[in-house]
Amino acid sequence: MLAACAPGLRAALRRGAPAGRLAALHGSPARRRPARVAVVLSGCGVYDGTEIHEASAVLVHLSRGGAHVHMYAPDVPQMHVVDHSKGQPAATESRNVLVESARIARGKITNLANLTTTDHDAVIFPGGFGAAKNLSTFAVDGKDCKVNKEVERVLKDFHKAGKPIGLCCISPVLAAKVLAGAEVTVGHEEEEGGKWPYAGTAGAIKEMGGKHCVKEVTEAHVDTKNKVVTTPAFMCETELHNIFDGIGAMVKNVLKLTGK
């Protein structure tokens, strides 16, 4: 057998070379294809759209993880427009969710109606009040909310395909409403002197049939059965780097679940 081998391979076999080095003699192994991840936005600005710091954190961690990213948003009017300098609705203004989301996407954005599981390995929803106002009616209707039909379709399609879904901040309510019995986190279940100002959301998640799991802001919860990964983000009043780290934990687990 050794006589039929190339001289370099014969020498390596005699030395008992590691398997990896033997494989290298036959050429480099095929590289894995990067994970293709869809990011769904809900506008631009915490009070009426996507929380920009969360979206940026998601994109940074996906880039660091080697993922290929495509951004989407529904082509629908915003619930309302908020003057972020005053924290009050601007009664005479109206804006489009897709158009506003393009600000974060640097123009590279697609109508959510065109998002399919065939073209992606995972989907991630950053938070911001847009998830509760434009992707659903949770901000108005709480546990009785309705979810945008395209958002609902995407969640169900990825769940059915066994592909991971990442959500942060308030957006886990979308999974709790659409995916029966999903385990999610929005952090703690008590306000704790204002550290968790939106803690009541945990109760609404339970009323919608979801399971709420208490987590710290730097952590992510992984529902392995449903492949849903969530983290609290700005549900907590804390330093920005803690939110960044928690989103990193969410993204890391989403990418891990893709198997890429």
Side-chain angles (χ1 to χ4, degrees):
M1 176 179 176
L2 285 177
C5 296
L9 179 56
R10 290 202 303 271
L13 286 169
R14 291 193 187 99
R15 292 195 303 269
R21 290 183 59 188
L22 291 178
L25 292 170
H26 295 282
S28 300
R31 293 182 178 179
R32 287 187 176 183
R33 175 176 57 78
R36 301 165 301 174
V37 182
V39 175
V40 180
L41 304 178
S42 60
C44 182
V46 57
Y47 297 127
D48 57 11
T50 300
E51 212 298 319
I52 299 171
H53 296 293
E54 291 182 13
S56 295
V58 166
L59 296 173
V60 168
H61 286 296
L62 285 173
S63 176
R64 184 168 288 157
H68 286 177
V69 177
H70 198 143
M71 285 176 268
Y72 295 83
D75 186 6
V76 296
Q78 289 186 185
M79 173 184 153
H80 60 188
V81 177
V82 174
D83 180 339
H84 281 60
S85 69
K86 300 176 181 177
Q88 298 175 351
T92 60
E93 289 191 50
S94 62
R95 298 185 185 182
N96 178 279
V97 175
L98 179 63
V99 173
E100 290 302 295
S101 298
R103 294 175 179 271
I104 297 174
R106 298 174 63 86
K108 297 178 181 179
I109 197 157
T110 302
N111 189 330
L112 185 60
N114 297 319
L115 173 53
T116 68
T117 58
T118 304
D119 297 326
H120 301 87
D121 301 301
V123 63
I124 293 179
F125 291 79
F129 282 92
K133 293 178 176 180
N134 305 327
L135 303 188
S136 72
T137 64
F138 183 79
V140 176
D141 301 321
K143 66 180 180 62
D144 299 316
C145 68
K146 294 181 175 59
V147 176
N148 172 279
K149 65 178 182 179
E150 290 298 338
V151 172
E152 181 174 4
R153 175 190 63 80
V154 167
L155 288 169
K156 288 182 175 179
D157 285 355
F158 274 80
H159 182 255
K160 183 178 180 180
K163 295 185 175 183
I165 300 166
L167 311 101
C168 62
C169 196
I170 192 66
S171 66
V173 301
L174 303 172
K177 184 67 177 181
V178 173
L179 306 177
E183 297 178 4
V184 300
T185 188
V186 290
H188 286 207
E189 298 180 355
E190 301 292 337
E191 291 190 18
E192 299 176 19
K195 182 177 180 180
W196 297 91
Y198 311 107
T201 305
I205 286 170
K206 294 175 184 177
E207 291 183 286
M208 288 190 288
K211 179 180 179 182
H212 184 260
C213 303
V214 174
K215 290 288 181 178
E216 300 302 328
V217 68
T218 55
E219 298 178 313
H221 178 73
V222 182
D223 177 349
T224 53
K225 178 182 177 181
N226 293 297
K227 290 191 176 181
V228 172
V229 187
T230 51
T231 192
F234 277 99
M235 298 298 276
C236 181
E237 290 288 337
T238 187
E239 290 80 8
L240 183 59
H241 68 273
N242 290 327
I243 291 163
F244 185 86
D245 289 348
I247 290 174
M250 180 267 286
V251 170
K252 181 178 180 179
N253 279 285
V254 167
L255 294 177
K256 182 178 180 180
L257 286 173
T258 68
K260 303 297 181 185

